[in-house]
C-alpha cells in the first residue's frame, strides 16, 4: 500500500540512461493506460481495440433499440418509439447515464404503465432517486414498476423515506408525488458534480463508440455487399477462416505483378524518349486499369478479411499483428489509390483532349513531342523532296533517253534528207522497172549510184556525230566504194561484176526483178564493149530481139525511130558487125538522118538531142560527143571538113 | 580540473555534504522551516476520536484492519529533508511530507476512488473488494469520513488538506531554499579548486 507522500523539489535524476529509459517507458505505459481509459486512439492497436469495442457497442445498441421498439409495440406504444428513443438519448446526455441502463428501465416502466408520459415521468423520478440514494437505476425502476402495479414492497426497500403505512395506504400517484418532491433535482445535482461530469463524458464517449461502430458496420456491409448485420456476421466468419490467405493473395498479387509494374515503369521511361508517346501512354493506362480493377477486388476482400481477423483473433495478443496487416493494406490501398487517381486523371485528360500529358502536368513533353514530330515531318518532307528530285531526274533522264531513242528513231523518219533519199531511191527503183532503153537504164543507174553516195555520206555523218568508230570506218569504206561506183558509172569504167553488185546493192530488193536486171546488164555490156572496142555479142538489143525481125535486122522504121530517139543502133548479131555497131552505125545512123547515105537527104541539118543524166557535165558530154565523132571520122564513117561539121 | 557533475537532487545533496556541509545544513534547515507548518496543520486535522465507532480501537481484535488511533496517525505525519531514492520513473525529491501510519493513510485517502465493490464474505480472496456482511460498508465508511480536499499534490484529508490550505507557500519556500543553496554552492565551487555542473 502506497503511503500518501508529498514530494518537494522533485527532479529527474538522469543518473544512468537506463533509469531514464525505464522512466519514460513506464510513463508511456501510464499514458497509454490513461488513453485506453479515456478511449483515446494513441496507437494502432488502440484504434483497433476501440474499433472493435465500437462495433460491439453499436451492435448492442441496435439490439437494445430493437428490443425497446418491440416492447413498446407490444404494449400499444409503437407510435412513440421514436419519441421514446429521443427522450432516452436526452436523459443520457443530460445526466450522464448510459442508454444501456435507460432503455431497460424505460422498457420496464412502459410495460407496467402502458403510457409514454407516465413512463417518462417515472423514469425521471427513478433517475433522481438513483442519484440521490445511490441505488441502481434498474432497482429503482423495478420498484416503481411494481408499485405502479400495486406492489410497494420493493419501493419500501429502497429506503426512499416513505413509511410502511404510507406505502400500504397511499395510492401510487401520491407516493410518486412525494418521491418527486423528496428527490427533486437530485439527478441534475449529481450530473453537475465532477463524477457526474465524468459520467457525461463517458456517455458521450460511449455514444461516439456506438456512432463509430455503426459507421464501421455500414462500411463493412458495403465492402462485403451485405444486406444485414447477420449476413455480415456470416461473411465475417467465413472470411475469418481464410483471412491470412486473402492477405497473402494480395501480397502475392503485388509480388506476382512486380515485373508487370516494373515493365510499366520501363515503358513509361522509354516512351519519354520516343515519338510514340501517345501509344505508350495509352498502353500503360490500359495496363494500369487492369491492375487497378484487380486491386479493387482484392482490396475489398483484404480489408474485410483483415477486419474479420480482428474479430476472430485475440485482440490483445494479435492486435498489433492485425494492425500491421491493416496498415500494410492501407499503405497499399493508399498507394494504389494514388496511382489510380494519377492515372485516372491522365486517362481522363487523354480522353477529353487527346492530350495525356496536360492532365499529368507534363505539357513540356507534349511540346517536345510536337517539336519532334514537326522536325521529323520536315525531315521527311526534305527527304521526299530530294528523292523526288532524284526521281524526277531519273524520270527525266529516262524520258530523255526515251526521247532520244525516239528521236533517234525519228531522225530517220523526220530527217528530210533521208526522206528525200528514200523517196528518190524508191522512185528510182520504180523507174528502173519502167526503163525501156539502155540510156534510161544507165541514167537510172547513175541516179541510184548518186543516191547511194548521198545516203552513205549521211550515214557517215551520223556515225561521226555519234562518235562510233566502228560505224565511221564502215561508213567511210562504204562511201568510198559508192564513190568509186559512181565514178565508174560516170566514166563508164565499171566492170560488170561490179555493176551487177552495185545494182544489187543499190536497188531495193523488192523492186529488183530479173528482167530488169538482165536488161540493165545487157545495156552495160554494150557500153563496156564500146569502151573496150569490143562489140558486145550478147547484148540484148534494146530495140528488141534482132531475131525477131525477118532477118534479124531491125526495120528501118525501127532504126529511124531509135535514131530519132537518140538511141544506139545495136549490132546485129551474125552480121559481123556489118549491121549495127560502129561499122554500119553510121549508115544506119545517117540513113535516118537527113543527108545520110541511107536515103536520108543530105544538106539538111539534123539536131540530135542527147539525154544526159542529171548532173552531167556539159563539157564532159561535149567531149564524149566529140570523141564519138572523132572516132567516127577515124573509122571513116564521117568526115570532118574542118568546119566543125561532121558529115556522117 | 576535476569536475563534479551532479545530476538530480541526490548528487546535489551528496556534493553539499562533501564539499559544503554548511550549505547542506542550511538547506535542511530551510526545508524544515518550510515544511513544518504544513506538517503541523496536517496533524491538527486528525480527529481525536475515531470517525466511526467501528473503527475505534478495541481491546481485542483478530482483524487485520488497522484501528483508528489519533496519536498513531499524528506521529505518522512527518517530514524529511533527506533526498529520496530515485523512483522507477527516475524522479527523486529533495524533501517529503509523509503520512506513514496505516490508519492515517486510510483516513487520508479513503473514498478517493469510491467504495470498493462488495463481494460479501464469500467473495473470494481478491483484493480491492469488500467482503463485509454489510454491502454498504464501504460507502458508509466513506460517508463517515470528512470530505476529501483536493490539492495540486492530490486529494486527502490530512497532509493533502494541509498542503492545499498552505496554497503553495511551503513549496515555494522549499524551492527557494534549494535554489539558494544551489547558487551558493556553485559560487563556492567556482571560486575553489573544484568546478561543477549542477
Amino acid at each position: 500500500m502506497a503511503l500518501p507522500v508529498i514530494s518537494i523539489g522533485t527532479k529527474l535524476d538522469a543518473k544512468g540512461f537506463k533509469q531514464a529509459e525505464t522512466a519514460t517507458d513506464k510513463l508511456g505505459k501510464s499514458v497509454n493506460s490513461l488513453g485506453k481509459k479515456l478511449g483515446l486512439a494513441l496507437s494502432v492497436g488502440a484504434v483497433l481495440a476501440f474499433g472493435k469495442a465500437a462495433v460491439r457497442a453499436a451492435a448492442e445498441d441496435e439490439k437494445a433499440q430493437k428490443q425497446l421498439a418491440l416492447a413498446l409495440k407490444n404494449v400499444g406504444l409503437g407510435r412513440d418509439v421514436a419519441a421514446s428513443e429521443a427522450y432516452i438519448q436526452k436523459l443520457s446526455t443530460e445526466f450522464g447515464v448510459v442508454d444501456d441502463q435507460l432503455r431497460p428501465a424505460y422498457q420496464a416502466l412502459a410495460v407496467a404503465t402502458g403510457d409514454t408520459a407516465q413512463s417518462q415521468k417515472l423514469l425521471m423520478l427513478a433517475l433522481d432517486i438513483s442519484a440521490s440514494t445511490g441505488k441502481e437505476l434498474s432497482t429503482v425502476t423495478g420498484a416503481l414498476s411494481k408499485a405502479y402495479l400495486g406492489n410497494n414492497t420493493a419501493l419500501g426497500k429502497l429506503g426512499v423515506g416513505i413509511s410502511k403505512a404510507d406505502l400500504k395506504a397511499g395510492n401510487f400517484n401520491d407516493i410518486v408525488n412525494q418521491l418527486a418532491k423528496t428527490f427533486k433535482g437530485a439527478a441534475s445535482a449529481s450530473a453537475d458534480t465532477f463524477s457526474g461530469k465524468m459520467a457525461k463524458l463517458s456517455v458521450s464517449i460511449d455514444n461516439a463508440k456506438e456512432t463509430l461502430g455503426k459507421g464501421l458496420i455500414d462500411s463493412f456491409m458495403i465492402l462485403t455487399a451485405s444486406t444485414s448485420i447477420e449476413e455480415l456476421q456470416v461473411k465475417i466468419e467465413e472470411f475469418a477462416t481464410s483471412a491470412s490467405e486473402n492477405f497473402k493473395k494480395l501480397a502475392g498479387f503485388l509480388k506476382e505483378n512486380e515485373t508487370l509494374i516494373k515493365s510499366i515503369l520501363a515503358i513509361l521511361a522509354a516512351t519519354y524518349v520516343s515519338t510514340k508517346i501517345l501509344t505508350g501512354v495509352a498502353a500503360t493506362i490500359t495496363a494500369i486499369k487492369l491492375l487497378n480493377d484487380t486491386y479493387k477486388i482484392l482490396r475489398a476482400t483484404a480489408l474485410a478479411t483483415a477486419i474479420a481477423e480482428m474479430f476472430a483473433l485475440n485482440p490483445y495478443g494479435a492486435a498489433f499483428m492485425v494492425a500491421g496487416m491493416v496498415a500494410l493494406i492501407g499503405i497499399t490501398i493508399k498507394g494504389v489509390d494514388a496511382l489510380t487517381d494519377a492515372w485516372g486523371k491522365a486517362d481522363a485528360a487523354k480522353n477529353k483532349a487527346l492530350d495525356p500529358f496536360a492532365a499529368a502536368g507534363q505539357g513540356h513533353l507534349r511540346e517536345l513531342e510536337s517539336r519532334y514530330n514537326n522536325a521529323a515531318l520536315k525531315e521527311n518532307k526534305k527527304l521526299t523532296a530530294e528523292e523526288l528530285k532524284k526521281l524526277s531526274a531519273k524520270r527525266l533522264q529516262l524520258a530523255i533517253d526515251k526521247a532520244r531513242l525516239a528521236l533517234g528513231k525519228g531522225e530517220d523518219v523526220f530527217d528530210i534528207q533521208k526522206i528525200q533519199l528514200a523517196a528518190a531511191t524508191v522512185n528510182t527503183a520504180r523507174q528502173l522497172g519502167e526503163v525501156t532503153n539502155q540510156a534510161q537504164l544507165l541514167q537510172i543507174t547513175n541516179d541510184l549510184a548518186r543516191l547511194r553516195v548521198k545516203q552513205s555520206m549521211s550515214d557517215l555523218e551520223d556515225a561521226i556525230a555519234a562518235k562510233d568508230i566502228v560505224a565511221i570506218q564502215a561508213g567511210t569504206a562504204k562511201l568510198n566504194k559508192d564513190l568509186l561506183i559512181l565514178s565508174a558509172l560516170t566514166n563508164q569504167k565499171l566492170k560488170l561484176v561490179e555493176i551487177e553488185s552495185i545494182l544489187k546493192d543499190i536497188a531495193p530488193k523488192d523492186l529488183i526483178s530479173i528482167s530488169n536486171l538482165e536488161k540493165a546488164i545487157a545495156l552495160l555490156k554494150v557500153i563496156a564493149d564500146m569502151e573496150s572496142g569490143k562489140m558486145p555479142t550478147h547484148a540484148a538489143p534494146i530495140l528488141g530481139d534482132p531475131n525477131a525481125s525477118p532477118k534479124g535486122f531491125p526495120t528501118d522504121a525501127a532504126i529511124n525511130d531509135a535514131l530519132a530517139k537518140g538511141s544506139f543502133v545495136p549490132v546485129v548479131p551474125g552480121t559481123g558487125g556489118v549491121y549495127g555497131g560502129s561499122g554500119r552505125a553510121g549508115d544506119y545512123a545517117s540513113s535516118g538522118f537527113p543527108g545520110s547515105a541511107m536515103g536520108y537527104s543530105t544538106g539538111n541539118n539534123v539536131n540530135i538531142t542527147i539525154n544526159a543524166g542529171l548532173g552531167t557535165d556539159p563539157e564532159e558530154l561535149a567531149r564524149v560527143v566529140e570523141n564519138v565523132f572523132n572516132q567516127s571520122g577515124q573509122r571513116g564513117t564521117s568526115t570532118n571538113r574542118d568546119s566543125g561539121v561532121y558529115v556522117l | 580540473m576535476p569536475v563534479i557533475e551532479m545530476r538530480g537532487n541526490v548528487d546535489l545533496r551528496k556534493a553539499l555534504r562533501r564539499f559544503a556541509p554548511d550549505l547542506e545544513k542550511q538547506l535542511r534547515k530551510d526545508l524544515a522551516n518550510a515544511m513544518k507548518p504544513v506538517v503541523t496543520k496536517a496533524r491538527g486535522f486528525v480527529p481525536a476520536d475515531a470517525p466511526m465507532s467501528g473503527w475505534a480501537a478495541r481491546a481485542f481484535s483478530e482483524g487485520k484492519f488497522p484501528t483508528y488511533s489519533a496519536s498513531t496517525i499524528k506521529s505518522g505525519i512527518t517530514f524529511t529533508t533527506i533526498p529520496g531514492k530515485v523512483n522507477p520513473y527516475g524522479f527523486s525529491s529533495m524533501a517529503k511530507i509523509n503520512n506513514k501510519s496505516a490508519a492515517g493513510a486510510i483516513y487520508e485517502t479513503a473514498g478517493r476512488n469510491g467504495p470498493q465493490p462488495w463481494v460479501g464474505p464469500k467473495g473470494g480472496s481478491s483484493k480491492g473488494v469488500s467482503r463485509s456482511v454489510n454491502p454498504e460498508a464501504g460507502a458508509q465508511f466513506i460517508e463517515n469520513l470528512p470530505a476529501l480536499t483536493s490539492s495540486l499534490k492530490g486529494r486527502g484529508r490530512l497532509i493533502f488538506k494541509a498542503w492545499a490550505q498552505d496554497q503553495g507557500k511551503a513549496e515555494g519556500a522549499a524551492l527557494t531554499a534549494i535554489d539558494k543553496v544551489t547558487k551558493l554552492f556553485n559560487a563556492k565551487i567556482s571560486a575553489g579548486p573544484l568546478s561543477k555542473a549542477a
Side-chain angles (χ1 to χ4, degrees):
Chain A
M1 175 176 150
L3 296 175
V5 173
I6 295 177
S7 299
I8 301 171
T10 305
K11 201 173 183 180
L12 177 65
D13 189 354
K15 187 175 184 180
F17 184 72
K18 187 175 180 180
Q19 291 181 351
E21 276 189 334
T22 305
T24 53
D25 290 341
K26 290 185 177 180
L27 183 62
K29 288 182 179 179
S30 300
V31 172
N32 288 335
S33 176
L34 179 62
K36 285 184 178 179
K37 291 178 180 178
L38 294 179
L40 298 177
L42 298 177
S43 66
V44 179
V47 172
L48 291 176
F50 188 79
K52 174 188 173 184
V55 171
R56 283 185 173 177
E60 291 174 355
D61 185 73
E62 184 176 358
K63 184 178 180 180
Q65 288 183 12
K66 287 186 177 179
Q67 288 181 348
L68 177 62
L70 181 60
L72 292 178
K73 183 179 178 181
N74 292 334
V75 297
L77 300 176
R79 64 183 181 277
D80 297 329
V81 171
S84 302
E85 186 64 32
Y87 183 73
I88 291 171
Q89 292 299 328
K90 178 185 174 184
L91 293 179
S92 175
T93 305
E94 184 176 354
F95 300 108
V97 180
V98 293
D99 52 5
D100 294 342
Q101 297 181 2
L102 292 175
R103 287 200 189 92
Y106 185 83
Q107 180 178 345
L109 294 173
V111 171
T113 62
D115 182 77
T116 301
Q118 187 72 2
S119 300
Q120 291 179 2
K121 180 181 176 182
L122 292 177
L123 180 60
M124 187 65 227
L125 178 62
L127 285 173
D128 291 333
I129 297 172
S130 174
S132 178
T133 60
K135 305 292 184 182
E136 292 294 332
L137 181 62
S138 60
T139 305
V140 174
T141 54
L144 289 175
S145 300
K146 292 178 181 178
Y148 184 84
L149 297 175
N151 185 358
N152 298 328
T153 305
L155 194 60
K157 292 182 179 180
L158 285 178
V160 293
I162 300 178
S163 64
K164 291 182 180 179
D166 292 336
L167 290 174
K168 283 184 178 180
N171 60 2
F172 180 76
N173 291 331
D174 295 336
I175 294 172
V176 166
N177 292 332
Q178 184 178 354
L179 290 173
K181 187 183 295 184
T182 304
F183 299 100
K184 182 180 181 180
S188 298
S190 175
D192 291 336
T193 61
F194 179 77
S195 61
K197 291 178 180 178
M198 290 300 296
K200 287 185 181 179
L201 183 60
S202 178
V203 167
S204 298
I205 293 173
D206 290 339
N207 291 337
K209 282 184 182 179
E210 293 174 2
T211 304
L212 179 61
K214 187 176 186 305
L216 286 174
I217 291 176
D218 291 339
S219 63
F220 297 164
M221 292 180 68
I222 291 172
L223 287 173
T224 58
S226 301
T227 58
S228 64
I229 293 182
E230 289 75 17
E231 186 179 355
L232 174 63
Q233 291 175 340
V234 172
K235 289 188 177 181
I236 289 175
E237 291 175 358
E238 292 176 351
F239 285 148
T241 58
S242 60
S244 60
E245 291 299 324
N246 287 335
F247 182 73
K248 287 180 182 177
K249 287 181 181 178
L250 176 61
F253 180 83
L254 293 175
K255 186 66 177 176
E256 288 173 0
N257 289 277
E258 181 180 4
T259 306
L260 174 62
I261 295 172
K262 290 183 179 179
S263 300
I264 293 172
L265 295 177
I267 291 173
L268 288 175
T271 51
Y272 286 142
V273 295
S274 171
T275 57
K276 297 182 181 179
I277 295 177
L278 289 177
T279 305
V281 170
T284 305
I285 290 175
T286 303
I288 293 294
K289 278 184 178 179
L290 295 176
L291 208 61
N292 285 338
D293 292 339
T294 310
Y295 276 140
K296 287 179 181 178
I297 296 172
L298 288 180
R299 178 179 59 188
T301 305
L303 183 59
T305 303
I307 295 171
E309 185 97 11
M310 182 177 67
F311 283 95
L313 299 175
N314 182 4
Y316 297 100
F320 290 101
M321 184 185 74
V322 175
M325 291 169 64
V326 174
L328 181 58
I329 293 172
I331 292 171
T332 305
I333 293 172
K334 186 178 181 181
V336 171
D337 288 341
L339 186 62
T340 304
D341 292 340
W343 284 105
K345 290 179 182 179
D347 188 30
K350 181 182 75 66
N351 293 329
K352 185 177 181 182
L354 299 177
D355 189 353
F357 299 105
Q362 298 173 347
H364 62 285
L365 290 178
R366 177 177 61 82
E367 183 180 355
L368 181 63
E369 185 197 22
S370 176
R371 290 182 183 179
Y372 188 90
N373 289 336
N374 290 335
L377 184 62
K378 289 181 181 178
E379 187 67 20
N380 290 333
K381 286 183 179 179
K382 184 178 179 181
L383 293 175
T384 303
E386 291 180 358
E387 290 179 354
L388 286 176
K389 191 175 181 180
K390 289 182 180 178
L391 182 60
S392 298
K394 287 184 180 179
R395 288 178 178 175
L396 180 61
Q397 185 63 33
L398 183 61
I400 291 172
D401 293 340
K402 288 184 178 180
R404 286 180 179 176
L405 183 61
L407 288 174
K409 291 182 179 179
E411 283 179 357
D412 294 337
V413 177
F414 293 101
D415 190 348
I416 300 299
Q417 185 177 8
K418 290 187 178 181
I419 290 174
Q420 291 176 347
L421 288 174
T425 303
V426 171
N427 189 24
T428 304
R430 181 177 60 80
Q431 291 179 356
L432 185 61
E434 298 176 353
V435 68
T436 59
N437 52 39
Q438 293 181 356
Q440 293 179 351
L441 181 61
L442 182 62
Q443 186 62 40
I444 293 170
T445 305
N446 287 330
D447 293 337
L448 288 174
R450 291 186 180 90
L451 290 174
R452 187 71 178 177
V453 169
K454 197 132 181 92
Q455 190 170 7
S456 296
M457 289 171 64
S458 178
D459 294 338
L460 183 59
E461 290 175 356
D462 293 338
I464 292 173
K467 298 181 182 180
D468 189 357
I469 298 174
V470 177
I472 292 171
Q473 290 175 352
T476 304
K478 186 172 182 299
L479 180 59
N480 290 330
K481 186 178 179 182
D482 292 338
L483 288 173
L484 184 61
I485 293 172
L486 180 60
S487 176
L489 284 175
T490 302
N491 297 324
Q492 299 176 5
K493 292 179 180 180
L494 293 175
K495 295 180 179 179
L496 288 176
V497 178
E498 295 176 350
I499 294 173
E500 183 177 0
S501 65
I502 290 170
L503 285 176
K504 285 182 181 178
D505 192 21
I506 291 174
K509 304 300 178 185
D510 56 344
L511 295 179
I512 295 177
S513 64
I514 296 176
S515 59
N516 293 334
L517 181 60
E518 288 177 351
K519 290 179 181 179
I521 292 173
L523 181 59
L524 290 173
K525 283 182 179 179
V526 172
I527 295 172
D529 288 339
M530 291 177 66
E531 288 294 329
S532 64
K534 292 181 180 179
M535 303 302 291
T537 58
H538 298 291
I542 297 175
L543 297 177
D545 188 358
N547 297 322
S549 64
K551 288 186 177 182
F553 296 105
T555 62
D556 293 338
I559 293 172
N560 290 331
D561 187 23
L563 288 176
K565 292 181 179 179
S567 61
F568 287 97
V569 177
V571 177
V572 177
T575 59
V578 177
Y579 296 99
S582 62
R584 303 287 291 197
D587 290 336
Y588 284 95
S590 62
S591 65
F593 293 102
S596 66
M598 297 301 292
Y600 201 82
S601 60
T602 60
N604 296 325
N605 292 329
V606 179
N607 294 323
I608 298 173
T609 302
I610 300 174
N611 294 325
L614 182 63
T616 303
D617 188 2
E619 293 182 355
E620 181 71 16
L621 182 61
R623 283 193 294 272
V624 171
V625 173
E626 184 178 0
N627 288 335
V628 169
F629 284 111
N630 290 333
Q631 290 175 5
S632 67
Q634 293 173 0
R635 287 192 301 272
T637 55
S638 66
T639 58
N640 187 354
R641 297 178 181 175
D642 295 330
S643 60
V645 178
Y646 293 87
V647 177
L648 298 177
Chain B
M1 177 183 297
V3 176
I4 299 174
E5 181 181 5
M6 292 182 289
R7 296 164 295 182
N9 297 323
V10 175
D11 289 337
L12 175 62
R13 298 297 290 275
K14 286 182 179 179
L16 289 174
R17 282 197 295 271
R18 182 175 179 183
F19 302 103
D22 54 338
L23 293 177
E24 166 67 11
K25 187 176 181 180
Q26 182 66 37
L27 177 62
R28 293 179 64 179
K29 183 178 181 180
D30 293 339
L31 290 174
N33 293 334
M35 289 183 294
K36 274 183 181 179
V38 177
V39 171
T40 304
K41 186 177 288 186
R43 290 173 179 172
F45 293 132
V46 177
D49 298 328
M52 57 201 83
S53 61
W55 196 13
R58 59 199 67 182
F60 176 76
S61 173
E62 292 180 353
K64 297 179 181 179
F65 193 82
T67 57
Y68 183 85
S69 171
S71 61
T72 304
I73 294 173
K74 288 182 181 180
S75 64
I77 298 174
T78 61
F79 73 91
T80 177
T81 58
I82 297 173
K85 292 182 180 179
V86 178
N87 65 5
Y89 299 100
F91 292 89
S92 64
S93 59
M94 191 66 76
K96 290 181 182 179
I97 298 175
N98 302 317
N99 188 355
K100 301 179 193 175
S101 63
I106 292 172
Y107 185 85
E108 179 85 48
T109 62
R112 272 185 175 178
N113 297 325
Q116 291 177 340
W118 180 81
V119 295
K122 301 179 180 179
S125 60
S126 59
K127 294 182 178 180
V129 295
S130 173
R131 296 184 186 79
S132 172
V133 177
N134 179 13
E136 305 295 334
Q140 293 174 355
F141 184 88
I142 295 170
E143 289 175 358
N144 294 324
L145 297 177
L148 292 167
T149 302
S150 297
S151 67
L152 295 177
K153 294 293 183 178
R155 292 193 300 168
R157 297 181 180 86
L158 299 174
I159 61 174
F160 290 102
K161 184 177 179 179
W163 186 265
Q165 292 183 358
D166 187 71
Q167 296 180 349
K169 289 181 289 187
E171 186 175 26
L175 292 177
T176 303
I178 295 171
D179 290 339
K180 177 183 174 184
V181 169
T182 302
K183 288 179 182 178
L184 290 174
F185 179 76
N186 290 336
K188 188 172 183 178
I189 293 300
S190 298
L194 298 174
S195 64
K196 72 115 179 102

